[in-house]
């Protein structure tokens, strides 16, 4: 390019105070979400041929990073699958939960990638585990050689419907939830609900929290499905042991993923900060980190949703009857309404201040409007937050006395 005489599309040259360039580019992304139960059955070739961008052939090799709990339950058959299809594997078994979701875990994965001598274009790392494990591996892959492809195989419900379908990676830093992270799409995510058969029911509920999130902000129909069939599907661990349960489980998972991807695709890199999928994620990062290891991620999220449902009730956007339905469904799905960290009013106020820092100087707080709709607000005050907390405390602890769900905020302040 000759200075000042030629311009490439998106590249502009200013000469008033000497050469200066502005570069504009579009980052293209393409990734796949593929559903296939019993992925590691020897006769299932989905992992080999089911995604056009991640073919896997006999004679190739892969670095596999697997959660230690998943390895104890499923590691033998996973290794047998790769051996059966002639794939040489190096397996890193990693402890992966929120208490160890730190830089040291990322470093272990990077060391394994380096020792493996990975080909950054042709040998995607395979991550098998819950959302914490896939977040760690995705973060490591995004850093190694400035970007190495990876494949996610989530083994928890929250991994299937939430962590496994977006592009964010990350680990915790100090008291900050996912304070270190990148945007790095896995080339493919393979969803296998058969892993859920060995999952503790608490972890099924943990994933249901993120499904309920999508229902409350986007789909009254999904909410009604959770209300009527959610407890049965939970007890069945989404295995579809009867035709009726299979139909309900399929509908719940498919609709929640569809709604999530519909929201994420136009705004993958979060250039727009008003994101309805941030519902339940305003106060929950602070709640979760201060309650560790007591709360799982989805449990913290659902407490946030209960709190903001109370807030919307005080504002008149959610009726008393609707709020009671929401609270009842939360409990029916095995999820909490309350944690004692909420007894510290300063904690929620600090959480809101941190959210403002995260969302470019504004609260951009998504609140439910009825069931299945939402709006964004920027005017939540500490007194109103305390009133919503008191309302939720009374509901969670089953107080027989005190203001009703639809009482004005001033009736609850200082209660």
């Amino acid at each position: 390019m000759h200075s000042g005489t030629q311009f490439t599309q998106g590249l502009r040259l200013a000469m008033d105070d000497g050469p200066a360039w502005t570069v504009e580019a579009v980052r293209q992304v393409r990734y796949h979400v593929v559903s296939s139960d019993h992925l590691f059955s020897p006769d299932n070739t989905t992992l080999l041929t089911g995604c056009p961008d991640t073919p896997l052939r006999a004679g190739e090799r892969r670095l596999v990073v697997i959660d230690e709990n998943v390895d104890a339950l499923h590691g033998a058959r996973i290794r047998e699958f790769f051996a059966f299809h002639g794939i040489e594997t190096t397996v890193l078994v990693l402890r992966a939960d929120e208490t160890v979701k730190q830089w040291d875990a990322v470093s272990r994965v990077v060391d394994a990638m380096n020792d493996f001598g990975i080909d950054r274009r042709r040998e995607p790392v395979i991550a098998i585990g819950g959302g914490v494990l896939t977040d760690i591996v995705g973060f490591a892959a995004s850093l190694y050689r400035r970007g190495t492809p990876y494949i996610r195989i989530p083994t928890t419900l929250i991994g299937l419907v939430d962590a496994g379908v977006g592009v964010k990676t990350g680990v915790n830093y100090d008291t900050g939830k996912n304070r270190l992270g990148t945007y790095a799409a896995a080339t493919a995510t393979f969803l296998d609900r058969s892993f859920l058969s060995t999952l503790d029911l608490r972890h099924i509920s943990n994933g249901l929290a993120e499904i309920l999130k999508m229902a409350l902000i986007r789909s009254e129909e999904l909410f009604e499905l959770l209300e009527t069939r959610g407890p049965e599907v939970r007890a069945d661990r989404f295995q579809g042991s009867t035709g009726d349960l299979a139909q309900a489980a399929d509908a719940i998972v498919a609709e929640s993923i569809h709604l999530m991807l519909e929201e994420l695709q136009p705004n993958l890199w979060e250039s727009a900060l008003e994101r309805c999928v941030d519902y339940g994620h305003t106060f929950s990062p602070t709640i979760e980190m201060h309650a560790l290891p007591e709360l799982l991620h989805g449990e913290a999220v659902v407490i946030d949703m209960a709190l903001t449902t109370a807030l919307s009730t005080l504002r008149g956007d959610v009726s008393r009857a609707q709020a009671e339905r929401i609270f009842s469904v939360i409990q029916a799905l095995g999820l909490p309404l309350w944690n004692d960290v909420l007894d510290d009013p300063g904690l929620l106020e600090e959480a809101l201040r941190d959210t403002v820092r995260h969302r470019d100087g504004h609260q951009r707080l998504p609140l439910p409007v009825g069931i299945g709709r939402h709006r964004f607000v920027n005017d939540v005050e500490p007194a109103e937050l305390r009133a919503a907390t008191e309302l939720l405390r009374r509901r969670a602890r089953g107080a027989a006395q005190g203001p009703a769900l639809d009482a004005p905020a001033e009736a609850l302040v200082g209660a």
Side-chain angles (χ1 to χ4, degrees), residues 287-343:
I287 292 171
E288 181 178 355
M289 295 304 291
H290 280 77
L292 277 178
E294 184 179 352
L295 289 177
L296 299 175
H297 174 70
E299 293 170 339
V301 168
V302 86
I303 289 170
D304 184 318
M305 293 193 296
L307 177 66
T308 48
T309 293
L311 187 60
S312 285
T313 303
L314 294 174
R315 289 184 167 220
D317 288 335
V318 172
S319 72
R320 177 178 179 175
Q322 289 169 331
E324 185 52 42
R325 285 179 68 194
I326 292 168
F327 295 147
S328 295
V329 168
I330 288 172
Q331 293 178 308
L333 296 178
L335 289 160
L337 290 174
W338 180 266
N339 184 273
D340 286 343
V341 297
L342 297 181
D343 284 328

Side-chain angles (χ1 to χ4, degrees), residues 29 31 150 152 162-169 182-186 264 267-269:
V29 64
Y31 66 96
Y150 70 105
R152 291 180 296 211
D162 185 69
V165 299
V167 299
K168 293 197 288 189
T169 76
T182 58
Y183 298 100
L264 292 180
N267 190 32
L268 274 178
W269 320 121

Side-chain angles (χ1 to χ4, degrees), residues 27 112 117-118 125 304 336 355 384 392 394:
R27 182 179 182 184
I118 203 161
V125 182
D304 184 318
T355 290
E384 188 181 16
L392 183 62
R394 291 175 180 274

Side-chain angles (χ1 to χ4, degrees), residues 15-35:
M15 299 292 292
D16 293 345
D17 298 310
W21 292 263
T22 298
V23 178
E24 298 177 9
V26 176
R27 182 179 182 184
Q28 185 175 1
V29 64
R30 165 187 164 109
Y31 66 96
H32 307 266
V33 180
V34 181
S35 181

Side-chain angles (χ1 to χ4, degrees), residues 105-167:
V106 179
S107 184
R108 285 193 62 192
V109 177
V110 170
D111 287 344
M113 295 170 71
N114 201 53
D115 293 343
F116 186 82
I118 203 161
D119 185 314
R120 67 181 287 249
R121 298 296 186 193
R122 296 179 297 145
E123 294 177 333
V125 182
I126 299 177
I128 307 175
V132 170
L133 187 283
T134 57
D135 273 2
I136 291 169
V137 175
F139 189 26
S142 72
L143 297 176
Y144 190 72
R145 296 185 183 272
R146 298 189 181 91
T148 297
Y150 70 105
I151 292 169
R152 291 180 296 211
I153 302 174
T155 59
T156 61
L157 183 57
I158 202 167
L160 263 73
V161 301
D162 185 69
V165 299
V167 299

Side-chain angles (χ1 to χ4, degrees), residues 7 52 57 83 175 188 202 213 242 246 289 372 378 385:
F7 295 88
R57 306 176 183 89
T175 60
R202 183 185 178 193
K213 173 189 77 175
T242 68
M289 295 304 291
N378 291 291
L385 194 54

